[in-house]
């Protein structure tokens, strides 16, 4: 089995679990490929064989059966950009903070690896958002798993984002910015701006204004079959476009449209994990002092 591994530096207390991960995979005869930047870190923190092969961004991962993402949700978002249209299943191992997407905790790594080799898992198909701009600003990576944002930059003044759905005028948002979120991204930036939580299989986008001037403007759910386009204006001529963790500065002459990407991200979900249990755990739903010892309901 060929497995690619991406990751970020981790706390020392996690090192034994990550060491166990590599030992287990090598003992099972897996052929490992580690992203070069992470490999440099591993050589000084773990006991790993020197002959493991490495790869860089831009190298094809074709032929891999799985990709392991070791870190937080940000690491997994970055991993999706390495996989792209190959749609290789991604398993997120959580060594970060919140962990909505990377759900395998270090203590459950042995069970997770065993499940991979035995096929005891399901694949969650997560829709992606695609951004087209003229001129092009995002290069070859024009898709994201969580959200696309238009934000003000270098000024306290609001911006105006004129928004259209399938060519029809929707609204002019006077705000600090505007977010278009996928269902996966509904528990991220959009949630902090008052957007709804959506189940991952929901075929919609969420349009959420950031600190809108008009208090009666609320987040809007639209079909992800729609094409959403924008025009930006403001006192400053510089604005920030953000696609997951990638940001660029643009001016008001840019033309922007977003739509659903024609491929998906495939996330490995172990049989004991589901989205609703993750919501209860990460958002503390049901946590109440009336419950014995603060036990989560459900």
């Amino acid at each position: 089995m060929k497995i690619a591994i991406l990751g970020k530096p981790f706390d020392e207390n996690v090192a034994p679990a990550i060491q166990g991960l590599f030992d287990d995979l090598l003992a099972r005869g897996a052929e490992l490929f580690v992203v070069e930047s992470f490999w440099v870190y591993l050589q000084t923190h773990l006991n790993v064989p020197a002959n493991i092969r490495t790869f860089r961004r831009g190298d094809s991962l074709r032929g891999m059966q799985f990709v392991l993402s070791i870190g937080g949700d940000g690491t997994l978002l970055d991993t999706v950009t390495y996989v792209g249209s190959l749609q290789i299943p991604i398993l997120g191992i959580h060594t970060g903070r919140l962990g909505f997407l990377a759900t395998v905790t270090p203590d459950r790594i042995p069970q997770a690896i065993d499940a991979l080799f035995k096929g005891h898992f399901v694949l969650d198909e997560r829709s992606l958002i695609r951004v087209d701009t003229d001129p092009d600003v995002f290069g070859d990576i024009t898709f994201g798993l969580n959200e696309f944002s238009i934000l003000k930059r270098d000024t306290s003044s609001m911006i105006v984002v004129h928004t259209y759905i399938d060519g029809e005028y929707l609204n002019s948002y006077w705000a600090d910015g505007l977010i278009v979120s996928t269902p996966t991204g509904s528990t991220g930036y959009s949630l902090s701006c008052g957007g709804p939580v959506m189940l991952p299989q929901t075929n919609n986008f969420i349009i959420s204004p950031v600190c809108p001037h008009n208090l009666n403007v609320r987040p809007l759910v639209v079909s992800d079959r729609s094409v959403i386009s924008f025009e930006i204006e403001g006192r400053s001529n510089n604005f920030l476009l953000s696609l997951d963790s990638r940001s660029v500065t643009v001016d008001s002459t840019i033309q922007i449209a977003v739509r659903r990407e024609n491929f998906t991200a495939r996330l490995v979900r172990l049989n004991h994990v589901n989205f609703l249990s993750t919501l209860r755990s990460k958002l503390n739903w049901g946590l109440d002092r009336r419950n014995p010892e603060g036990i989560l309901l459900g």
Side-chain angles (χ1 to χ4, degrees), residues 103-147:
T103 56
V104 176
T105 54
D107 62 297
R108 297 198 65 88
I109 287 176
Q111 295 93 324
I113 298 306
D114 194 53
L116 287 188
F117 279 82
K118 291 181 178 178
H120 296 169
F121 61 87
V122 295
L123 292 179
D124 278 344
E125 300 273 353
R126 299 295 184 97
S127 62
L128 302 169
I129 189 168
R130 170 182 158 189
V131 181
D132 296 309
T133 62
D134 186 13
D136 174 48
V137 294
F138 286 111
D140 295 331
I141 306 175
T142 58
F143 58 90
L145 178 59
N146 264 9
E147 73 270 315

Side-chain angles (χ1 to χ4, degrees), residues 287-298:
L287 190 63
D288 194 299
R289 65 182 180 180
R290 293 170 293 183
N291 299 333
E293 298 181 0
I295 295 175
L296 290 172
L297 293 178

Side-chain angles (χ1 to χ4, degrees), residues 45-103:
H45 290 78
L46 297 183
N47 181 21
V48 288
N51 60 350
I52 290 179
R53 282 181 275 184
T54 63
F55 63 93
R56 299 178 179 179
R57 182 177 293 281
D59 294 343
S60 176
L61 296 181
R62 189 176 299 278
M64 302 293 161
Q65 275 76 54
F66 295 99
V67 178
L68 305 187
S69 172
I70 302 174
D73 287 351
T75 308
L76 196 143
L77 293 177
D78 193 36
T79 300
V80 169
T81 67
Y82 279 83
V83 173
S85 60
L86 295 177
Q87 300 185 115
I88 304 167
I90 300 170
L91 175 67
I93 296 174
H94 174 54
T95 61
R97 292 187 293 270
L98 192 57
F100 262 104
L101 301 174
T103 56

Side-chain angles (χ1 to χ4, degrees), residues 37-271:
S37 57
F38 190 45
W39 176 242
V40 172
Y41 174 81
L42 291 177
Q43 286 180 302
T44 60
H45 290 78
L46 297 183
N47 181 21
V48 288
N51 60 350
I52 290 179
R53 282 181 275 184
T54 63
F55 63 93
R56 299 178 179 179
R57 182 177 293 281
D59 294 343
S60 176
L61 296 181
R62 189 176 299 278
M64 302 293 161
Q65 275 76 54
F66 295 99
V67 178
L68 305 187
S69 172
I70 302 174
D73 287 351
T75 308
L76 196 143
L77 293 177
D78 193 36
T79 300
V80 169
T81 67
Y82 279 83
V83 173
S85 60
L86 295 177
Q87 300 185 115
I88 304 167
I90 300 170
L91 175 67
I93 296 174
H94 174 54
T95 61
R97 292 187 293 270
L98 192 57
F100 262 104
L101 301 174
T103 56
V104 176
T105 54
D107 62 297
R108 297 198 65 88
I109 287 176
Q111 295 93 324
I113 298 306
D114 194 53
L116 287 188
F117 279 82
K118 291 181 178 178
H120 296 169
F121 61 87
V122 295
L123 292 179
D124 278 344
E125 300 273 353
R126 299 295 184 97
S127 62
L128 302 169
I129 189 168
R130 170 182 158 189
V131 181
D132 296 309
T133 62
D134 186 13
D136 174 48
V137 294
F138 286 111
D140 295 331
I141 306 175
T142 58
F143 58 90
L145 178 59
N146 264 9
E147 73 270 315
F148 168 72
S149 305
I150 302 170
L151 301 167
K152 70 176 186 176
R153 183 178 184 275
D154 295 339
T155 177
S156 60
S157 301
M158 291 180 296
I159 61 175
V160 185
V161 184
H162 306 291
T163 305
Y164 305 81
I165 298 179
D166 295 327
E168 295 188 9
Y169 176 66
L170 169 64
N171 190 26
S172 293
Y173 291 93
W174 294 72
D176 284 356
L178 194 68
I179 304 166
V180 182
S181 168
T182 66
T184 298
S186 70
T187 54
Y189 193 9
S190 176
L191 181 65
S192 69
C193 294
V197 174
M198 301 185 69
L199 298 182
Q201 297 76 23
T202 309
N203 297 319
N204 291 303
F205 288 135
I206 306 165
I207 302 176
S208 301
V210 181
C211 299
H213 183 264
N214 302 94
L215 297 182
N216 59 345
V217 174
R218 291 291 181 262
L220 178 68
V221 177
V222 301
S223 168
D224 65 8
R225 295 179 180 271
S226 305
V227 176
I228 309 170
S229 54
F230 311 95
E231 297 173 355
I232 320 170
E233 65 174 283
R235 292 181 181 176
S236 170
N237 196 41
N238 290 323
F239 312 96
L240 194 68
L241 304 186
S242 178
L243 183 56
D244 282 353
S245 58
R246 305 178 302 282
S247 299
V248 293
T249 301
V250 300
D251 61 34
S252 59
T253 63
I254 194 166
Q255 298 180 14
I256 310 165
V258 301
R259 67 194 74 202
R260 178 171 176 161
E261 184 55 274
N262 58 17
F263 55 86
T264 62
R266 293 178 175 172
L267 305 186
V268 173
R269 177 166 58 85
L270 303 182
N271 291 335

